[in-house]
Amino acid sequence: MARPDRESAAVRRPAPLRAWLTWFVALAALTAAMIAGREYLDKAHVALLLLLVVLGASSAGGRTLGISVSVAAFLLLNFFFLPPLGTFTIAHPMDLVVLATFLVTSLVAAQLLYRANREAMDAQARATEIDRLAALGAESLNAADARDALGAIVGVIQSILGVEYCAVIEHPVPAELAETQDSERELLLPLRVRDTPVGALRIEDARGIGLTPERRRLLDALAYYAALGVERVRLTEVAERAETHQRMESLRNALLTSVSHDLRTPLTSIKGIAHEIADGGDPRAAADIEVAADRLNALIGDMLEFSRIQAGAVRPASAIETIDDLVGAALQQSRAVLKDRLVAIDGPEEILSGRFVFTDALRVLVNLLENAAKYSPSTAPIDLCIRREGDRVTLAVMDRGPGVPPAEQERIFEPFYRSRATAAGVGGTGLGLSIARGLAESMGGALRFEGREGGGAVFAFELPATDAPAAPGEP
């Protein structure tokens, strides 16, 4: 991309040799033609025709070429068309007036054309500069990520200025370093928003930065965009920290609420049953203590698993496993909850394989099967549809329960969230689906909810598929 000052200075650059040859050849050809018809031409005709060549040279080649052609035309007019012909002698005083008038007119015309061209080029450069600044503003505002927007601004600055290196320092520079230019090749420009230092713009170019007044004005405007970009990054980070703090606070409150409720219920049961046994009650009631203890154990296990997922703890590496083994193990592990419930499996005849952590995938699928059993009528079968599409294997667990209201279809994956429409009379910590989605995503898969046609819920569990057969011990 050409530098703006180069555009505005186009008319100041020397005309190329071809332009000089073109216009001097044109002048020579016109002179030769007028010499051939000299007896039919008046001095004024010759002067006007020569002036046309001067104007053309000035417009196309600039001021220097225009003045040169003007002087040459002046000499040709005197030598070939004013008596005595073939000499530079001026016989009549009025011829001197004609020559002087021609020379002044041609020189002034060349100068005026040069100035008009320069002003036109400057106006075009300013219009281009405004367009670039508008594009830069739009690009920085449209970028969804604040850091991407700042990167785009830096790229545009480097492109517009045509420099080799441009970077933003995202912290205020010391006062002693403000606006320093070590040489023509390095510049450190402080960035300010409402007179508050927010960073600095570092520019380097081995060819020289060349800060003309026009480039300096453009650089100041671009630097302000960069300052706004730095400020946006800072405000975004502040907002993200505040959001994270708020989310953690909400999570903590939800955790305390859930724990206080879910721990108190089994503890109350254990205390009551133990008191009955001590008073000579039915010793078989000890089984109820075991159920309550299992519930406590499940709750604590869910909380530990959730905390591991939230902390990004290192998990076992994925391996190639078959979907049939996964489904069989899930049905076996869910047997106590499913009881006599029919689970209708609809899958392909070939054996599907995927790359996943078997224990994690098993926990997800067991959770979905047990949820389907809890939230649907005991006589309604549970459908398990297995499909492979591209590089994904989907296990869709479908039930005929009440489903999930549209407003809660994403919220049911939030920690400790339990739908009021579906959770009545059903125990649970509100962590199961959150843990299941976290495990699915940690294996490169996904877990999503879909409404089922005719009523009910569909939980689609996706896993990475593979064509390689499972081999014992293969990672």
Side-chain angles (χ1 to χ4, degrees), residues 182-197:
D182 296 337
S183 65
E184 291 293 331
R185 301 179 179 84
E186 297 180 3
L187 173 65
L188 186 68
L189 183 65
L191 302 177
R192 294 185 175 88
V193 175
R194 293 182 292 276
D195 296 330
T196 302

Side-chain angles (χ1 to χ4, degrees), residues 79-150:
F79 191 80
F80 290 108
F81 299 100
L82 295 181
L85 300 179
T87 68
F88 289 106
T89 303
I90 299 174
H92 304 287
M94 290 306 298
D95 290 342
L96 181 60
V97 174
V98 172
L99 284 174
T101 303
F102 174 79
L103 182 61
V104 170
T105 302
S106 60
L107 291 177
V108 169
Q111 176 64 25
L112 290 177
L113 273 175
Y114 165 76
R115 182 179 299 176
N117 282 343
R118 185 182 62 182
E119 291 176 352
M121 293 295 291
D122 288 345
Q124 182 179 358
R126 285 194 292 273
T128 303
E129 177 182 322
I130 292 173
D131 290 343
R132 287 169 174 167
L133 291 176
L136 178 60
E139 187 171 353
S140 59
L141 289 176
N142 289 333
D145 185 80
R147 194 159 293 282
D148 290 344
L150 181 59

Side-chain angles (χ1 to χ4, degrees), residues 251-267:
L251 188 61
R252 186 180 67 85
N253 293 334
L255 176 63
L256 291 176
T257 301
S258 177
V259 168
S260 61
H261 177 269
D262 290 318
L263 287 182
R264 182 178 300 163
T265 301
L267 285 175

